[in-house]
Amino acid sequence: SGAKPLAGRKAIVTSGPTHEPIDPVRYIANRSSGKQGHAIAAALARFGADVTLVSGPVTIPDPAGVRVVRVERAEEMRDQVLAALPADIAVMVAAVADWRVASAAGNKIKKRPGEAPPPLHLTENPDILKIIGHHQARPKLVIGFAAETENVAENGRAKLEKKGADYILANDVSPATGIMGGDRNRVRLIGREGIEEWLEMGKDEVAEKLAALIAENLAADLP
Ligand code: C5P
């Protein structure tokens, strides 16, 4: 159907940062706003897909027409993504924290005069994109993002393989670009066939273009 090319398709999108607790009142986080992931969830819904958006803590509104599951930690995000399977499409946009505190304190860590600062022992978080890309119930299309500034084609191809993804959208998130937290994005689409440079455009336009690409890819293998 022309107007709703993704009708009958299920999509899982991750968005936003994760918050990794240090103790009940403190956490490790990053500057992701969720704007790009939320825009992609909204675009897929406009194209007719049944969308589950698994979002870390963000301050932007829920996108229209989307089931929103809110999480804080990477492990919760992984659990909710796995709970949303099976799906036809997975777009992992969240800026998942690479590390978490190995054992977060159950009570607030007290600052005591004369005592040294507490050491934070970090451990690696699960790589949700990699898990989904290699899952027995792998969605037909698995797409990730990558913050890259150099050797984009090479790093992108390597990331495709490592993560088991079909496409990686690489963007430059160095502070001068204003992309992190901003409304615009400039991405390079890396697929098995090669690399495509997209002009700088609004995050909503990137989302629309990506939804169209997804619809085109899935139309080639109906139903
Ligand atoms: O390895 P890197 O962090 O560069 O990969 C970025 C891509 O992998 C993004 O699509 C991001 O959402 C996803 N990712 C993930 N879980 C992680 C780390 C990254 O899903 N723990």
Side-chain angles (χ1 to χ4, degrees), residues 77-163:
M77 186 173 275
R78 174 205 53 205
D79 292 346
Q80 293 299 328
V81 166
L82 291 175
L85 287 174
D88 304 288
I89 305 152
V91 191
M92 306 285 93
V93 196
V96 182
D98 289 314
W99 308 285
R100 68 176 181 276
V101 176
S103 47
N107 292 307
K108 186 183 174 191
I109 302 168
K110 299 296 288 179
K111 184 172 67 175
R112 298 187 204 284
E115 270 187 24
L120 291 182
H121 294 289
L122 302 181
T123 188
E124 209 164 308
N125 264 331
D127 188 326
I128 302 166
L129 175 57
K130 191 173 171 186
I131 291 168
I132 290 301
H134 293 97
H135 200 275
Q136 55 172 16
R138 182 190 189 279
K140 292 188 194 77
L141 264 183
V142 175
I143 301 172
F145 272 73
E148 301 281 354
T149 52
E150 15 172 53
N151 302 324
V152 172
E154 208 175 296
N155 293 343
R157 283 302 289 260
K159 199 154 284 187
L160 273 186
E161 293 305 321
K162 183 179 148 219
K163 307 264 192 176

